[in-house]
Amino acid sequence: MVFEPKDVVRKLEFDKVLDLLSHEALTTMAAEMLAVLEPQTHFETIDASMRQAREYKLALEKNDRFPLQVFADIRPDLRMLEIDGYTLQTESFQNILRILLTVRDVFKYFASGPKKEIYPRLYDIIRPLQFDDGLIKAITAVFDEKGEIRPDASPELMRIRRDMQHKVRELDGRFRQIIQEYRAKGWLSDSPESFRNGRRVLSVPSEHKRKIRGIIHDESDTGRTAYIEPEGVIEINNDLFNLEHDERREIFRILRELSEQIRPYGPLLHTYFDTLIQFDCIQAKAKLALSMRANMPILKEQPLIGIRKGYHPLLWLKNKAMGRKTVPFDLRLNPENHILVLSGPNAGGKSVAMKSVGLLQLMVQSGLLVPVHELSEFGIFQKVFADIGDQQSLDDDLSTYSSRLQNARVFIEKADPKTLVIIDEMGSGTDPKPGGAIAESILQALHRKGVYAVITTHYSNLKVFAFRNPGILNANMHFDKDTLSPTYELKVGRPGSSYAFEIAAKSGLPKNIIDYARNRTGSETAVDDILIELQREKQELEEQLRSVSEKEQSLQKLIKTYDSMHSDLELKRKRHKLEQKEFELRQSANTSREVDKMIRQLKEEKNLEKAQQVSAKLREERVEKARQVDVINTEVVKLEESNAPAASGRPLQVGDFVRLRAGGATGRIETLRGNNAMVALGDLKVTVSVRELHPAAEPMKITNTVTTSDINSQAAFDAKIDLRGMSREEALRVLEKFVDNALLSNASLLRILHGKGDGVLRKTVKQKLREYGHNIATVYHPEAEQGGDGVTIVELA
């Protein structure tokens, strides 16, 4: 991402967010990475990062503990391990083991239950990896739970330690004998035993040191006590010293072999380490999101800002700690309206709202969840430019206003439709008239560039310019005229006033001074008032037009739906009539044998005239029924052709529904070979010429349903579901499947847990349940102690 000037991150206070983020990391390695996190411009990268953070946040909310723990940096050890013959130290093996155990626990976490489906983006991180606990077994075969070398790490080590234990016991017995002997003679101190130079020695008063044969290892600082290794244990101590040397040599050999065993797995261990660092970064993002009540908005590839109930994250955290309320704001910038000119009184929240837009955008493109409603929308910008605060530079010999003009020049040169521009107090720093004119010219240039921008100002000419030019919106920070205090509410659609005279009066400035000032401003104040009124009327008119347009679209949809339903109903009626006539025709054919029998009887009775009358009447009835069948069949064909999708002149394809010209049967093309097609007519397949086929709509399916009750499936169905933490789209999909399964399982009572929050999921649940109509008997919330508004109970009909 391109920044102008280079300190945009600091001016928008993104560095403070990164500082909070790095403090949430478990390891210093992840903290260092997060401290230098940069906004990205690749959609898939941003989307994946945000979804990972959202899934980890969901796990935290559900108290579904992810098996991540503090671990050390093993990269220096892995670099040394690349050197042939290098032997790792005990601490290095313990650090590697901790990482292996953590990775193993992560694999176990996803192997238990439906974790792969609940957290698919987190599982994707380890999906390409394989884990074999062979390395864990190799290390734990050498080290015990305390991180010390196991006594049975090798047969030789077992022998050495067994001999050492034997020598220690021998030394203990010999030492006790010597102590008893010399204590009886009064040659020892009150604490007769000590250690010096790794040797077991006697504490002997200086006046008796010549009486005891042995080696003097040390004396006390006062010189009153000598530490003597008695002659009787020197050989035992020497043997013990040699065994300790053998032990160290054997341990080194074991560690060298273990290092050689692990050396080929250096790249894999590095991958495991990087994976855990990635999980640590994700958990830090999730914890920060929880602390600031952040969500994942809807991400778009093209530039767009659609903030709903957004907060400045740092302000929200500050107010939360002080127990104060933070006022959210709504703002939408799109290709039709891509610049916002924000005006209003000083200390009314203009700069905070403006900075919030820039900061939230940087957070989104860094893969962080943001404190906005989950239905908010954010696009991807390639550049972010900001002109905020005092730009004075003594080094470059620039005044504040000169620096602003220099920024404006750079913005106009480098900006494009994928640029977000943030400008605070546009045009300030010089004489208002020329300053306002230059600011208007700069605004015009940015508008022509198609940039997205949020600009704060007090200049009336910029408000008028925004009013007159499509694509630029006026907005204001609401000010309570009665209390003469800001409400910090962002109102889009109308410009704001500075309320300078009202604030001056409240501050106690003399009335004559304020009156004089009013007279001096004159028409300028009137222009502001007129502009505000015009903007109000314009906004009301646009809202009315939008309402009329929406109603007209709804009416058109209703008309189309009615026409379609009427056509379908007529087609079904004709088909039903056709089926009745065909049935009657078949019945008349089935009764022909009885009629023939009656005619034979009449002939036998010599009543030829009556037999001829009966035969003629039967023929007329059958001909009439056949004619009626043909007429109705023709009408059905016409209706189906009118309802069939337009062929657009394209040839018939496999899968198309067609009607046979001869007989009028409807079927589906299964194969096409040259000029012939195989058509499936129910269970019958016939091969006919393509010229004998006519495009048709999909025939009405008449199925005989058999209702069965599967006791096992009913028993397996869980009548409870938890939608908390899901987006609206996910919740709709999961809820639809849940209710469908409930109906199939003949369930009677459902419990849907959606949480209270801001009520979006609760409304979504009620909206979805309405679609099931008569299948739903009752929908209600339980008592407060059973969940209240956070739970919906559904009784199925």
Side-chain angles (χ1 to χ4, degrees), residues 50 76 109 162 204 207 405 466 484 526 608 630 773:
M50 297 191 77
Y109 178 81
R162 189 167 55 247
V204 182
E207 60 269 22
L405 292 179
L484 295 178
L608 185 58
D630 288 339

Side-chain angles (χ1 to χ4, degrees), residues 387 389-391 399-405 424-436 438-439 457-459:
D387 185 354
D390 189 358
Q391 304 286 327
S399 67
T400 299
Y401 187 65
S402 298
S403 179
R404 285 182 174 275
L405 292 179
D424 193 20
E425 299 295 351
M426 189 175 192
S428 64
T430 189
D431 188 294
K433 286 192 176 181
I438 292 173
T457 187
H458 286 287
Y459 288 170

Side-chain angles (χ1 to χ4, degrees), residues 26-286:
L26 294 174
T27 64
T28 56
M29 297 79 73
E32 290 170 358
M33 291 179 62
L34 294 171
V36 294
L37 186 65
E38 294 182 354
Q40 304 296 311
T41 57
H42 189 250
F43 176 84
E44 282 73 18
T45 301
I46 299 169
D47 183 67
S49 297
M50 297 191 77
R51 290 183 184 277
Q52 289 166 355
R54 183 179 67 178
E55 290 178 1
Y56 205 110
K57 174 173 169 268
L58 176 62
L60 292 176
E61 290 172 336
K62 290 186 172 184
N63 201 23
D64 189 1
R65 182 184 173 277
F66 193 84
L68 196 62
Q69 59 180 323
V70 178
F71 54 91
D73 189 354
I74 64 169
R75 288 174 296 186
D77 296 321
L78 296 180
R79 283 194 294 269
M80 297 304 297
L81 200 60
E82 294 174 1
I83 302 173
D84 289 339
Y86 182 82
T87 301
L88 294 175
Q89 300 301 311
T90 298
E91 184 181 358
S92 300
F93 284 111
Q94 292 305 306
N95 293 337
I96 291 174
L97 178 61
R98 187 173 294 109
I99 284 178
L100 289 170
L101 292 174
T102 304
V103 172
R104 182 195 64 184
D105 291 343
V106 170
F107 273 85
K108 287 183 177 179
Y109 178 81
F110 286 106
S112 62
K115 300 290 177 61
K116 298 176 184 177
E117 291 74 26
I118 299 174
Y119 313 118
R121 295 289 180 159
L122 293 179
Y123 178 65
D124 285 343
I125 296 174
I126 66 164
R127 188 188 300 273
L129 302 181
Q130 298 293 328
F131 185 79
D132 184 357
D133 59 359
L135 288 178
I136 293 178
K137 292 178 179 178
I139 296 176
T140 53
V142 173
F143 296 94
D144 60 18
E145 294 80 3
K146 297 179 180 179
E148 299 175 354
I149 301 294
R150 299 174 66 92
D152 58 349
S154 74
E156 178 64 13
L157 184 62
M158 287 181 64
R159 182 194 66 76
I160 292 172
R161 290 190 170 177
R162 189 167 55 247
D163 291 348
M164 289 176 66
Q165 291 173 356
H166 176 72
K167 286 294 179 182
V168 168
R169 286 194 296 269
E170 183 181 351
L171 180 64
D172 285 342
R174 184 65 183 132
F175 230 89
R176 281 194 298 271
Q177 292 176 1
I178 292 173
I179 288 174
Q180 288 176 359
E181 178 184 348
Y182 290 158
R183 179 176 282 169
K185 295 179 179 181
W187 293 352
L188 299 180
S189 302
D190 294 336
S191 300
E193 188 176 350
S194 184
F195 275 90
R196 287 294 186 274
N197 300 325
R199 308 277 239 176
R200 200 167 175 180
V201 295
L202 297 173
S203 299
V204 182
S206 296
E207 60 269 22
H208 300 303
K209 65 181 180 180
R210 302 289 182 187
K211 302 175 183 177
I212 298 176
R213 298 178 62 84
I215 300 173
I216 298 176
H217 282 275
D218 195 8
E219 287 187 348
S220 65
D221 294 337
T222 60
R224 295 180 179 179
T225 304
Y227 298 101
I228 302 174
E229 181 181 8
E231 187 178 48
V233 298
I234 290 176
E235 185 177 351
I236 300 175
N237 269 334
N238 287 339
D239 291 342
L240 196 58
F241 182 82
N242 290 334
L243 285 171
E244 289 173 351
H245 176 72
D246 293 342
E247 180 189 35
R248 288 193 297 271
R249 187 171 54 195
E250 177 62 14
I251 288 174
F252 180 80
R253 186 193 67 78
I254 292 170
L255 295 182
R256 185 177 59 203
E257 287 186 357
L258 185 57
S259 298
E260 291 297 326
Q261 189 175 355
I262 290 178
R263 199 181 312 280
Y265 297 96
L268 179 62
L269 290 172
H270 209 298
T271 301
Y272 286 162
F273 175 80
D274 291 341
T275 300
L276 294 183
I277 291 295
Q278 185 178 358
F279 277 122
D280 192 8
C281 291
I282 294 170
Q283 73 85 26
K285 293 179 181 180

Side-chain angles (χ1 to χ4, degrees), residues 342-357:
L342 182 57
S343 53
N346 288 322
K350 297 192 305 298
S351 296
V352 172
M354 175 200 64
K355 284 184 177 180
S356 298
V357 176

Side-chain angles (χ1 to χ4, degrees), residues 294-352:
N295 295 301
M296 178 180 173
I298 300 169
L299 200 61
K300 302 288 185 180
E301 293 193 50
Q302 298 304 315
L304 174 71
I305 296 176
I307 299 174
R308 297 188 184 184
K309 296 183 179 178
Y311 299 90
H312 190 293
L314 300 177
L315 179 64
W316 192 89
L317 290 174
K318 178 183 177 182
N319 287 343
K320 177 185 176 184
M322 300 174 66
R324 295 191 307 201
K325 178 184 177 183
T326 305
V327 180
F329 69 96
D330 292 357
L331 172 63
R332 183 171 185 82
L333 297 180
N334 52 36
E336 290 75 31
N337 295 300
H338 52 93
I339 296 180
L340 185 79
V341 175
L342 182 57
S343 53
N346 288 322
K350 297 192 305 298
S351 296
V352 172

Side-chain angles (χ1 to χ4, degrees), residues 13 79 101 206 227 252 378 414 429 461 547 584 689 706 795:
E13 300 181 292
R79 283 194 294 269
L101 292 174
S206 296
Y227 298 101
F252 180 80
F378 283 85
K414 298 184 178 182
N461 64 308
S547 176
E584 291 175 2
S689 173
V706 179
E795 294 183 3

